[in-house]
Amino acid sequence: MSVLFEEVRLSLPHLEVAAHLYGPDDGKPVIALHGWLDNAATFSRLAPRLQGLRIVALDLPGHGHSDHRPIGAGYNIWDYAHDVLQVAEQFGWQRFSLLGHSMGAIVSVLLAGALPERVERLALIDGVIPYTGEADSAPQKLGSALEALLAVNDKRKPVYASFDQAVEARMKGVGAVSREAAELLAQRGLMPVPGGYTWRTDPRLMLPSAMRLTRAHALAFVSRVACPTSLVLAEQGLMMQPELLELVESFPFDIRRLVGGHHLHLDDDIGAEAVARVFNSFLHD
């Protein structure tokens, strides 16, 4: 599959991030955010199908070709909101829309709730709010995270003898994907090392969260979203648990259920086209 995009690096005040640029220079501004352990290639099927938009598909820090956060810094989900704002500043965008998948969708909701005046529209794919935790579990959660942080330097990332072995492993990972989708993610996400290939991702991304928002925190962010929001739910995705589905369907969002897995926008052309039909009309209304 051949798509036209521009590869860029953006020097933010705190680190450098890589991105793919799609669409005309004068298109409506959109920042696209991928899911956990993915990269900008997650939008390689969808972005070319979205018309009249200037899409900046990021490798979030710690992912793909973007810098890892400095030693001592963490990967709290709300920190990505700051990264996105800095990217918008680079392009001179006071208002912009967000296209987010999974973790990227969660970051989008957090930013739209925190600074509703900056976000014009939200286009979300199989993600809305983070995993939550209540106050009584916070001490144990922090303790586990601190112990894991102490041990992180002793862990080695897996090395795959061949590109195909890495692709097969990604197919079976969190949010299982098609072979073509795994190949697209791997082409951007792998790097050669002695003995084969390993992922570019920062090992600290695998650490448990030190703190989680409570359910009340998460719902407060949703309640502050002031822009039109379109949410695509994958029928074979990660949000079909009855309790979560009931909660999400109570949100004031336009919700569309589509056939496909968690990466339906990347797994095949049929899924990408179905998502594009939803978002093309929505992002231009």
Side-chain angles (χ1 to χ4, degrees), residues 35-267:
W36 181 59
L37 302 183
D38 287 345
N39 54 60
T42 196
F43 297 108
S44 57
R45 288 188 191 272
L46 177 60
R49 290 176 159 87
L50 299 177
Q51 304 302 312
L53 306 176
R54 183 58 163 172
I55 299 174
V56 181
L58 293 179
D59 285 338
L60 290 166
H63 298 77
H65 289 262
S66 289
D67 285 350
H68 296 180
R69 297 205 191 278
I71 298 300
Y75 286 94
N76 297 311
I77 194 165
W78 45 83
D79 292 328
Y80 291 122
H82 174 242
D83 302 320
V84 174
L85 280 178
Q86 290 289 358
V87 169
E89 293 296 307
Q90 288 269 314
F91 285 90
W93 293 346
Q94 183 60 30
R95 281 181 56 83
F96 50 89
S97 294
L98 292 169
L99 166 62
H101 169 241
S102 193
M103 182 186 77
I106 295 166
V107 174
S108 298
V109 171
L110 293 181
L111 180 53
L115 293 173
E117 69 278 6
R118 297 296 300 269
V119 181
E120 188 170 348
R121 286 177 181 265
L122 288 181
L124 311 176
I125 304 170
D126 222 41
V128 180
I129 61 173
Y131 290 112
T132 57
E134 298 309 310
D136 59 355
S137 65
Q140 292 83 2
K141 186 73 177 170
L142 178 57
S144 297
L146 291 172
E147 290 178 339
L149 185 59
L150 287 176
V152 69
N153 291 330
D154 297 328
K155 293 186 177 180
R156 299 183 63 184
K157 290 195 290 186
V159 174
Y160 303 94
S162 69
F163 181 86
D164 282 344
Q165 284 185 12
V167 166
E168 289 171 4
R170 180 61 190 89
M171 289 173 65
K172 301 171 186 174
V174 176
V177 297
S178 69
R179 174 168 288 275
E180 286 189 10
E183 288 175 349
L184 288 166
L185 294 170
Q187 285 166 7
R188 186 162 184 82
L190 289 176
M191 63 180 183
V193 294
Y197 297 87
T198 194
W199 296 97
R200 297 178 183 274
T201 46
D202 190 332
R204 291 176 293 165
L205 290 166
M206 303 293 289
L207 293 174
S209 300
M211 289 286 172
R212 285 183 173 170
L213 299 178
T214 66
R215 175 65 66 91
H217 280 127
L219 296 181
F221 280 95
V222 171
S223 70
R224 281 261 297 171
V225 172
C227 64
T229 300
S230 177
L231 169 61
V232 166
L233 293 179
E235 291 281 8
Q236 290 76 45
L238 300 182
M239 300 188 65
M240 288 294 110
Q241 305 96 314
E243 180 185 356
L244 178 58
L245 194 58
E246 181 180 3
L247 174 66
V248 169
E249 288 182 336
S250 71
F251 297 161
F253 301 160
D254 176 58
I255 298 176
R256 307 289 183 91
R257 293 198 196 186
L258 298 180
V259 174
H262 185 55
H263 287 75
L264 77 166
H265 63 295
L266 180 64
D267 278 333

